[in-house]
Amino acid sequence: MKAKILALLTTLSLGVGLVTAVNANPMQDEQRYCAANPVDCYCEYRGGAKVCFIK
């Protein structure tokens, strides 16, 4: 029983780690920075989505 609980906790922690890694996208950080500091960025539309880059 203890081994099953330990295996379950290990599986859950790996899943949470993967989700965190996927959500930690540098592009999203750049978009947030540009939203707060539009003077430091230039934006263009790509595929119908607005994408901004730091100058």
Side-chain angles (χ1 to χ4, degrees):
M1 182 70 176
K2 186 177 180 182
K4 285 184 181 180
I5 292 173
L6 191 58
L8 178 64
L9 289 175
T10 303
T11 304
L12 287 175
S13 66
L14 286 174
V16 169
L18 287 173
V19 169
T20 303
V22 168
N23 288 335
N25 184 352
M27 187 70 169
Q28 291 174 343
D29 292 338
E30 191 171 28
Q31 299 307 308
R32 278 190 227 110
Y33 176 83
C34 288
N37 305 294
V39 176
D40 297 337
C41 301
Y42 70 95
C43 300
E44 56 189 51
Y45 286 91
R46 291 189 178 177
K50 184 178 178 183
V51 182
C52 297
F53 302 95
I54 299 171
K55 290 181 184 177

